[in-house]
Amino acid sequence: VKGAKPVYPIDNCNPGRMTGKLKILGLHGHSQDAEVFRRKTGGLRGAVKNIAEFDFLSAPHKVERGEDGEEGYSWYRYNSGMETLTISLRQSLDDINSFFKAKGPFDGVFAFSQGSSLAILLAALQREQDNPLAKALRDAMPDVSFKFIAVFAGFLPRDEPFRSLVAESSPSVISFHCYGEEDQIITKEMSQDAARIFKEPTVEIHSGGHFVPSSSGIRKAFKSFMQSQVHPN
């Protein structure tokens, strides 16, 4: 199929699917793909291997040059006009909905950078809104439902009216946010703005830049958050 890209379902044969583990969908950053994101998050995933399993999906839009010189993908095409942005986003929502239908249900979404922005949008769309755009996007993903997100280098959508849709949504899902003090791509202020729209977000800060950290402190915090989702209060 022209333009086909890899999808990497991880641990699909793991018998843990029948033992109450959390099922989590991973959404990669801009210019990555499912396999790159899987490789780069091994430390964090290892910290929760006894309570969670992950599936990773590649975005539908190919970029000229991916991360580390490899083929890469994007969840939406920005800086190309509202119509192109909306069409590209709708294709991503269609793909995500198909993945939920085929591999779900999922308890949560785990994401980095552009994938985090999309995860935050998905979280906003979990709540019913009297907004024509929200209704149209929600119609594209009738099978997408989850209870939490864990986002790294997260940010609100940059483009209107998507930014306002998310900022005014008061998402009901539980959230974990982690960002770097020295991130020059998605600044800490951008990630802070994203965390503020959630009720009682869990926020962790690392001292580095634009990456998913795997330091002992972040692994411990991530594991604690995931354990709280296995055994909610």
Side-chain angles (χ1 to χ4, degrees):
V1 178
K2 184 178 180 179
K5 73 286 185 188
V7 172
Y8 295 88
I10 307 303
D11 297 336
N12 279 341
C13 298
N14 188 335
R17 285 191 180 279
M18 304 302 293
T19 62
K21 284 187 178 183
L22 294 170
K23 291 176 62 177
I24 302 169
L25 171 62
L27 302 178
H28 60 79
H30 177 71
S31 80
Q32 296 182 338
D33 66 12
E35 175 61 14
V36 169
F37 190 38
R38 183 194 67 81
R39 290 200 311 263
K40 290 179 177 291
T41 56
L44 277 181
R45 290 186 294 105
V48 297
K49 63 182 180 181
N50 293 326
I51 59 174
E53 57 187 34
F54 296 77
D55 285 321
F56 293 83
L57 175 65
S58 286
H61 308 292
K62 187 180 293 186
V63 299
E64 291 184 2
R65 180 178 175 81
E67 187 170 303
D68 299 331
E70 301 177 15
E71 193 170 67
Y73 296 87
S74 176
W75 293 107
Y76 48 83
R77 300 189 185 282
Y78 48 84
N79 297 329
S80 55
M82 184 65 185
E83 182 177 2
T84 299
L85 171 62
T86 303
I87 292 172
S88 66
L89 178 59
R90 178 63 184 257
Q91 185 174 349
S92 290
L93 296 182
D94 286 344
D95 282 8
I96 291 170
N97 187 73
S98 295
F99 203 70
F100 264 79
K101 191 172 182 178
K103 302 293 184 180
F106 290 99
D107 297 292
V109 177
F110 167 65
F112 171 64
S113 196
Q114 190 192 62
S116 289
S117 180
L118 181 58
I120 291 167
L121 173 62
L122 295 176
L125 294 172
Q126 296 300 292
R127 180 187 289 273
E128 291 289 337
Q129 298 183 53
D130 186 20
N131 177 309
L133 176 61
K135 290 179 179 179
L137 295 175
R138 183 65 199 172
D139 286 346
M141 39 178 265
D143 298 294
V144 176
S145 178
F146 53 90
K147 65 180 183 179
F148 69 86
I149 61 171
V151 296
F152 293 77
F155 62 98
L156 297 175
R158 293 187 171 106
D159 299 274
E160 293 291 356
F162 299 99
R163 184 180 181 88
S164 293
L165 183 158
V166 174
E168 298 168 6
S169 65
S170 300
S172 58
V173 303
I174 301 166
S175 64
F176 175 95
H177 306 257
C178 182
Y179 58 87
E181 281 279 3
E182 302 301 323
D183 194 332
Q184 300 301 308
I185 298 174
I186 304 301
T187 66
K188 62 181 180 181
E189 290 80 11
M190 294 169 68
S191 291
Q192 289 164 353
D193 286 345
R196 287 191 190 102
I197 72 169
F198 292 86
K199 182 180 180 181
E200 299 181 0
T202 297
V203 179
E204 295 293 330
I205 306 169
H206 65 90
S207 61
H210 193 63
F211 59 87
V212 179
S214 59
S215 63
S216 59
I218 297 300
R219 290 199 308 271
K220 182 178 179 180
F222 184 64
K223 182 177 181 179
S224 177
F225 175 80
M226 289 298 179
Q227 287 174 327
S228 73
Q229 303 312 304
V230 176
H231 305 292
N233 294 330

